Amino acid sequence: MEPFNPDKYRRLIEENRKRLEKAYDFEEADRVPIIIDVGGPYYAKIFGYTLAEYYNNLGVMLEVQIKGIKWRLRWLKDDLAHIGVQLDIGSIAEGIVFNCDIVMPDERNPWQSPWIVPRIKRLEDIDELEVPDPYSHKGIKEYYRRLERFRKLVKDNYGNLPVGGRLQIHPPVSAAGSLMGPRRLYTWIYKYPNEMHKLFRKLEETFIALQEFYYDITGAEPGSLGLPDDHAGYLSRKLYEKFALPYNLRLYELFGKRYRALHMDSHMDHITDILVNVYRLNFADVGVENDIRIISRDLKGKIVFKGNANWRVLLSNSYEKIEMEIEKCIYYAAPGGGYIFDNGGETYTGVPPEKLKYEVEYAKKVGKYPIRKENFKHLDRILKY
């Protein structure tokens, strides 16, 4: 295994943590904190492993994540403030829980991301979908057995390094998107609203059962809940209020008494008042499709938020486009604290590491507090945005 001593980075981690704490208190530190959302698949690519090796071999998964931590601390130098690893299964939780066919990367398709074969194709499939019992469900039990094997592997090689991993589906709208595909999801919401509510209720019950099961087997206490809900952002406000809000709010009320977070790669700029006044979020992860001016205006001082920088500019040959994207986010979102710079959504495999490093370095340069207009090379063009 890759040698790794977390104590070596203790001072740096503490500096990063303090910078982030300032943001969470809506205060200005020395500069805007930067947390780049890169994960195991990205690390696997840059370290020469395939996704087949990464997802199918726990030893490779651990090795890749350890290398990734060191890469961020030594080379990328964003504000990583927590060192730990996790059992990574990709976005297939619904497939495990509802016994779908799951396609994994293999020798023939080593770079194929894990994906679920949708199982809801007829209205009758909604009636046949069963809320699982986590205590007897074969796939759920196997997941947690694998998590224990991963925990042992970590402990044997790295001692008490934190290990994350719980099996949980997305909230109802996005979980439905995984089980039936986005096109059928949005069509059926219009054509069969009553049947879709029936489905969403089953998915809500499943989410609750999985969450309570996790608390039971780990001894963890409820109080903090983050929801990843990309599919719901493509609903109009009227449809969002009808099909997403009631279910998400009940989950927040049940499990998020102290802390609530929401990740949406899709739009949230049309429901900002819901995020603030109904969900009462503490944190929002903002996707690239949102207007940063609206997000900043409506969330500033109320919800800490991160993201929105369009990672697609990192695939271009234009450093000017990269600079403009960074300046746009920092100019509108950073003053007064409460903002963490990041790309919107996950930074995907294939983004050149050199461009990512340039992004971090330029964000540090432009994002020094207090934010000054003279630091922005492209301000005239940003103001026309």
Side-chain angles (χ1 to χ4, degrees):
M1 283 288 174
E2 180 83 5
F4 179 61
N5 180 11
D7 291 337
K8 181 178 178 181
Y9 305 99
R10 189 180 303 277
R11 182 176 177 181
L12 175 59
I13 292 293
E14 182 64 16
E15 290 176 359
N16 293 343
R17 185 185 63 79
K18 289 180 179 179
R19 187 174 292 116
L20 284 165
E21 284 182 348
K22 285 280 189 180
Y24 276 94
D25 289 335
F26 300 102
E27 297 177 0
E28 296 182 350
D30 57 332
R31 60 168 172 79
V32 176
I34 303 163
I35 296 289
I36 302 298
D37 187 9
V38 284
Y42 186 87
Y43 300 144
K45 176 74 172 180
I46 64 175
F47 297 132
Y49 296 95
T50 66
L51 294 186
E53 293 170 314
Y54 175 74
Y55 282 113
N56 294 313
N57 186 311
L58 292 180
V60 171
M61 182 180 293
L62 178 55
E63 178 104 353
V64 164
Q65 291 188 29
I66 292 296
K67 286 185 174 181
I69 292 170
K70 294 197 294 185
W71 176 81
R72 287 179 67 174
L73 292 168
R74 294 176 177 176
W75 191 81
L76 187 62
K77 297 182 179 179
D78 66 336
D79 293 313
L80 183 65
H82 171 74
I83 292 179
V85 295
Q86 66 172 0
L87 178 62
D88 189 352
I89 60 170
S91 298
I92 62 169
E94 285 81 8
I96 294 172
V97 171
F98 293 107
N99 302 313
C100 302
D101 291 331
I102 297 172
V103 179
M104 294 294 292
D106 54 25
E107 291 183 359
R108 292 179 301 171
N109 299 288
W111 286 104
Q112 177 177 261
S113 295
W115 62 281
I116 299 167
V117 178
R119 61 165 289 182
I120 298 178
K121 300 177 181 178
R122 309 165 302 145
L123 289 177
E124 292 81 3
D125 294 334
I126 294 177
D127 292 324
E128 294 172 5
L129 194 74
E130 295 184 0
V131 176
D133 176 6
Y135 293 91
S136 60
H137 189 285
K138 181 179 178 181
I140 295 173
K141 291 167 67 176
E142 174 54 33
Y143 170 85
Y144 280 103
R145 282 193 291 266
R146 192 164 190 249
L147 177 59
E148 285 308 307
R149 292 197 298 272
F150 189 63
R151 289 187 190 279
K152 184 178 186 306
L153 186 65
V154 174
K155 187 173 183 59
D156 289 346
N157 289 276
Y158 301 109
N160 294 320
L161 188 70
V163 180
R166 73 172 71 181
L167 187 64
Q168 183 52 277
I169 64 172
H170 291 76
V173 172
S174 288
S178 295
L179 292 171
M180 63 198 315
R183 181 176 296 180
R184 190 173 285 113
L185 166 68
Y186 300 124
T187 302
W188 282 18
I189 278 177
Y190 280 101
K191 291 180 65 176
Y192 311 115
N194 291 335
E195 288 80 0
M196 291 304 289
H197 276 301
K198 182 191 298 183
L199 172 61
F200 293 159
R201 285 192 292 271
K202 288 187 176 184
L203 295 174
E204 180 187 15
E205 289 179 39
T206 300
F207 190 105
I208 292 170
L210 289 170
Q211 198 78 356
E212 292 179 340
F213 176 70
Y214 174 79
Y215 294 141
D216 185 33
I217 65 174
T218 64
E221 294 289 335
S224 179
L225 182 65
L227 296 178
D229 201 14
D230 298 336
H231 288 82
Y234 293 113
L235 298 175
S236 69
R237 183 186 174 96
K238 182 178 179 181
L239 290 176
Y240 186 92
E241 290 176 336
K242 183 176 181 180
F243 290 99
L245 187 156
Y247 301 97
N248 290 359
L249 182 58
R250 281 195 291 270
L251 295 178
Y252 279 131
E253 293 294 329
L254 277 172
F255 304 116
K257 296 292 186 182
R258 296 190 307 271
Y259 182 86
R260 303 177 181 186
L262 177 65
H263 165 93
M264 292 176 74
D265 281 349
S266 52
H267 284 284
M268 59 169 59
D269 46 10
H270 63 313
I271 56 167
T272 53
D273 59 319
I274 292 174
L275 309 186
V276 173
N277 300 319
V278 182
Y279 291 161
R280 302 189 305 280
L281 295 181
N282 303 96
F283 177 83
D285 193 358
V286 180
V288 300
E289 297 183 36
N290 292 277
D291 188 327
I292 193 64
R293 296 169 298 183
I294 295 174
I295 294 293
S296 300
R297 180 195 68 200
D298 294 352
L299 303 190
K300 190 175 288 292
K302 301 170 185 174
I303 296 174
V304 176
F305 61 100
K306 107 177 164 67
N308 187 250
N310 192 339
W311 58 269
R312 297 178 185 90
V313 301
L314 300 171
L315 301 176
S316 73
N317 292 320
S318 172
Y319 282 90
E320 183 177 81
K321 289 181 179 179
I322 296 173
E323 292 170 357
M324 287 183 62
E325 192 66 25
I326 295 165
E327 289 189 13
K328 179 195 72 177
C329 290
I330 290 178
Y331 179 79
Y332 286 110
Y339 174 67
I340 300 164
F341 179 84
D342 186 16
N343 298 306
E346 183 182 344
T347 301
Y348 294 98
T349 301
V351 170
E354 296 77 16
K355 299 286 183 62
L356 207 59
K357 184 175 179 65
Y358 184 81
E359 181 182 46
V360 170
E361 291 173 344
Y362 195 76
K364 288 180 178 180
K365 177 181 176 182
V366 177
K368 291 178 181 177
Y369 283 121
I371 303 298
R372 301 181 186 277
K373 290 185 176 180
E374 53 265 31
N375 291 343
F376 295 81
K377 293 164 56 177
H378 310 285
L379 184 58
D380 289 343
R381 297 171 67 183
I382 290 170
L383 294 175
K384 293 178 182 178
Y385 159 73

